[in-house]
Amino acid sequence: MPNFTPADKRTIYFIGVTTEKSSIMRVFPRWAEEALGLKDVCIKGIDLPIHGPRECYRETVAFIRDDPLSEGALVTTHKLDLLNACKDMFDVLDPYAEALEEISSISKKDGKLIGHAKDPISSGLALECFVPENHWIDHPEAEVLLLGAGGSSLAMSMYFTRKDHGKNVPKKITIANRSTPRLEDAKAKLKDCEKATEFAFVHNPTPEGNDKTMEALPPYSLVVNATGLGKDAPGSPITDNGIFPENALVWEINYRGELDF
């Protein structure tokens, strides 16, 4: 467990695995001062083991809740496990946190501890930066392959199937994962999204299985590495022999590490 020391200035925490290596530790101080005009604030990392003990998450959340100058946290990797362990500790969960059963950020307001799930918003903004406008209308055969069945894939699925997108939605989204429990969980959480888009949930325990799923995609499809492989753990969800679709869009959402994908 981390050694929690009461904050001596307004502090936001970054709850992850190897937070020292993240660029946000260098970016946040300049962003806070130059863009937000905040003075005398800081960010600190809290490193927890992947799928760590329940007590790790509860002690972390309790510290942030009870320490006066600890303002909140950004959560990566542990989004599902943290909420699963600490749901009773939050006074408010936003609608996305309720739907996805995960927390990507923690804030405090008016004495209440609030859990947020921001990935459907942030991943959508990122996708809009590189997926051409009306891509799914212009290429109606194109599909989406999300490698990994964690919170990121669920968030992207919710973004893709938003009602305000009208007909500009992929005809099919395939979520592939190494284990079946996460797939079953994803299927249950996305049951209300299966209106204009077909969903497939594929158990691929090996990278070779992902290769086959990927190679069957139509041209102009989108392939996303939404696993932690290449960042939190070594390797890639596909092999070096995997063939991307013709004119594919490819997104490596990991932002550091070996990035073998």
Side-chain angles (χ1 to χ4, degrees), residues 13-257:
Y13 296 88
F14 179 22
I15 302 172
V17 180
T18 53
T19 55
E20 260 183 35
K21 299 178 181 178
S22 177
S23 61
I24 193 63
M25 306 303 280
R26 301 186 303 276
V27 171
F28 177 83
R30 291 188 61 185
W31 178 57
E33 182 174 354
E34 297 176 17
L36 300 180
L38 299 175
K39 305 294 183 183
D40 201 29
V41 299
C42 72
I43 186 171
K44 291 182 180 179
I46 298 176
D47 291 349
L48 300 177
I50 297 175
H51 304 312
R54 186 170 182 267
E55 294 73 24
C56 283
Y57 298 115
R58 293 188 69 83
E59 289 185 32
T60 299
V61 171
F63 167 73
I64 294 170
R65 179 194 63 195
D66 299 336
D67 185 56
L69 290 176
S70 294
E71 300 282 5
L74 164 71
V75 184
T76 65
T77 306
H78 307 285
K79 299 170 188 174
L80 297 170
D81 293 324
L82 187 144
L83 182 56
N84 186 50
C86 307
K87 190 171 185 177
D88 63 300
M89 300 175 71
F90 287 89
D91 300 298
V92 179
L93 296 176
D94 76 13
Y96 280 136
E98 289 275 13
L100 293 171
E101 296 182 4
E102 68 167 40
I103 286 178
S104 62
S105 63
I106 299 169
S107 69
K108 296 194 289 189
K109 185 177 182 180
D110 299 329
K112 294 182 178 180
L113 189 70
I114 307 168
H116 311 265
K118 298 295 188 183
D119 284 358
I121 300 169
S122 57
S123 64
L125 291 170
L127 286 161
E128 288 169 11
C129 287
F130 73 91
V131 176
E133 189 175 0
N134 294 322
H135 179 74
W136 311 109
I137 293 175
D138 295 338
H139 304 286
E141 77 283 4
E143 301 178 10
V144 175
L145 172 59
L146 302 175
L147 299 170
S152 296
S153 287
L154 271 61
M156 283 183 238
S157 296
M158 289 190 167
Y159 164 78
F160 281 125
T161 55
R162 274 175 23 191
K163 291 181 180 178
D164 60 342
H165 289 165
K167 294 183 178 180
N168 188 36
V169 296
K171 74 167 188 176
K172 182 178 181 180
I173 297 174
T174 298
I175 298 178
N177 199 61
R178 292 185 297 182
S179 62
T180 54
R182 278 281 173 91
L183 283 172
E184 292 301 320
D185 182 65
K187 188 174 183 178
K189 290 176 181 174
L190 296 174
K191 64 181 185 300
D192 294 330
C193 294
E194 300 185 36
K195 300 293 189 294
T197 297
E198 175 189 354
F199 275 82
F201 300 89
V202 179
H203 178 217
N204 282 341
T206 66
E208 288 79 8
N210 286 330
D211 286 355
K212 292 180 180 179
T213 301
M214 182 174 71
E215 290 167 13
L217 292 171
Y220 294 96
S221 291
L222 168 67
V223 183
V224 182
N225 178 16
T227 73
L229 292 176
K231 177 174 75 76
D232 295 326
S236 168
I238 58 174
T239 75
D240 289 343
N241 296 320
I243 299 174
F244 290 99
E246 184 179 359
N247 295 313
L249 297 168
V250 182
W251 188 15
E252 164 67 278
I253 69 168
N254 292 323
Y255 48 86
R256 59 174 172 79

